[in-house]
């Protein structure tokens, strides 16, 4: 009985430690990335490509996912401000019936972005994969990342740890998160970001190189 109690206490201590480490990791990422993030396109440098991070097109309520909608709004605004020539939409296409990049491309075209300015990365399964692939597959060493602020902090940290000059254009955040999971998952994700950097986790897929601006959009 006493052994079981000690085991439960040890598990509780480990869980508490992981929670504290995750919280500290997320706060540290925000502090590191803060000076690179802006809500005003005029304060950002001109670079060839913006990396638009994916999200599910449909939210849990069955309507358009507001994270998705606001990211596309921001990406279109950045393009129209003349800060980038091309948009690389990176998301999950792990199943034939689920295709974030194609939905993102369609949404950007609806917002007035020409199709020839949009490239798709179908293997952006995680933020880390999207960041690694923007350099290894798409050959970019200077990018503006588009997403909500909590996501940008992690993406910019990962990119700059990879030697990529990255800035963030902050999309409008969702006033009321869909669930507590949506709010809390950023903390273990922040801890995972440090793990990926320390252990140089390979992306799930690499693939042939794509020269943005030279090769036709896929």
């Amino acid at each position: 009985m006493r052994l079981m109690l000690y085991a439960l206490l040890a598990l509780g201590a480990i869980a508490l430690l992981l929670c504290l480490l995750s919280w500290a990791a997320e706060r540290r990422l925000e502090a590191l990335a803060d000076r690179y993030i802006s809500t005003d396109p005029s304060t950002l440098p001109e670079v060839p490509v913006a990396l638009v991070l994916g999200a599910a097109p449909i939210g849990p309520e069955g309507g358009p996912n507001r994270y998705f909608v606001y990211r596309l709004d921001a990406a279109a605004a950045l393009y129209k401000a003349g800060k980038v020539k091309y948009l690389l939409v990176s998301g999950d296409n792990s199943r034939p019936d689920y295709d974030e990049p194609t939905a993102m491309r369609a949404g950007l075209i609806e917002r007035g972005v020409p199709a020839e300015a949009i490239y798709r990365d179908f293997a952006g399964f995680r933020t880390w994969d999207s960041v690694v692939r923007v350099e290894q597959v798409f050959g970019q060493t200077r990018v503006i990342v588009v997403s909500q602020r909590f996501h940008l902090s992690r993406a910019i940290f990962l990119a700059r740890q990879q030697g990529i000059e990255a800035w963030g254009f902050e999309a409008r955040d969702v006033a009321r998160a869909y669930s507590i999971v949506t709010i809390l998952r950023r903390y273990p994700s922040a801890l995972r970001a440090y793990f990926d950097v320390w252990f140089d986790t390979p992306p799930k897929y690499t693939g042939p190189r794509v020269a943005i601006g030279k090769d036709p959009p896929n």
Side-chain angles (χ1 to χ4, degrees):
M1 188 68 179
R2 182 175 294 178
L3 183 61
M4 183 178 295
L5 178 60
Y6 288 156
L8 289 173
L9 289 173
L11 288 174
I14 291 170
L16 178 60
L17 178 61
L18 287 174
C19 289
L20 291 173
L21 286 174
S22 297
W23 178 85
E26 204 273 341
R27 294 277 79 81
R28 179 62 175 161
L29 294 189
E30 283 197 358
L32 290 172
D34 182 67
R35 63 182 173 139
Y36 300 110
I37 297 174
S38 178
T39 57
D40 181 359
S42 68
T43 64
L44 295 169
E46 293 185 14
V47 301
V49 174
L51 172 64
V52 189
L53 296 174
I58 305 300
E61 299 167 344
N65 184 343
R66 286 167 285 164
Y67 292 100
F68 177 90
V69 170
Y70 298 157
R71 289 180 199 181
L72 297 190
D73 290 344
L78 185 67
Y79 177 83
K80 292 174 182 179
K83 287 297 181 176
V84 296
K85 295 180 179 178
Y86 302 98
L87 299 175
L88 174 62
V89 294
S90 181
D92 188 348
N93 179 215
S94 55
R95 308 190 313 266
D97 62 337
Y98 186 79
D99 188 346
E100 290 179 4
T102 298
M104 294 166 77
R105 179 179 181 272
L108 287 168
I109 291 172
E110 289 176 358
R111 288 163 173 79
V113 179
E116 58 269 21
I118 307 168
Y119 285 74
R120 289 175 290 178
D121 175 13
F122 295 101
F125 304 116
R126 296 197 297 127
T127 306
W128 172 251
D129 290 51
S130 296
V131 166
V132 172
R133 286 173 55 81
V134 78
E135 180 184 27
Q136 291 187 1
V137 175
F138 296 94
Q140 302 304 306
T141 58
R142 301 179 79 237
V143 296
I144 295 174
V145 186
V146 180
S147 189
Q148 279 74 25
R149 189 179 185 89
F150 72 88
H151 198 189
L152 285 177
S153 298
R154 179 159 31 103
I156 290 169
F157 166 77
L158 292 171
R160 289 191 168 264
Q161 288 295 316
Q162 288 292 106
I164 301 168
E165 287 187 273
W167 295 265
F169 184 50
E170 183 180 345
R172 176 184 171 188
D173 205 351
V174 174
R176 186 174 180 180
Y178 290 116
S179 70
I180 190 66
V181 174
T182 305
I183 298 171
L184 293 180
R185 69 181 181 182
R186 67 188 64 177
Y187 297 102
S189 294
L191 195 59
R192 177 91 183 258
Y194 281 95
F195 177 90
D196 287 329
V197 167
W198 291 336
F199 294 96
D200 197 21
T201 309
K204 189 170 183 179
Y205 297 110
T206 51
R209 299 272 291 194
V210 177
I212 293 178
K214 295 182 180 179
D215 294 333
N218 52 346

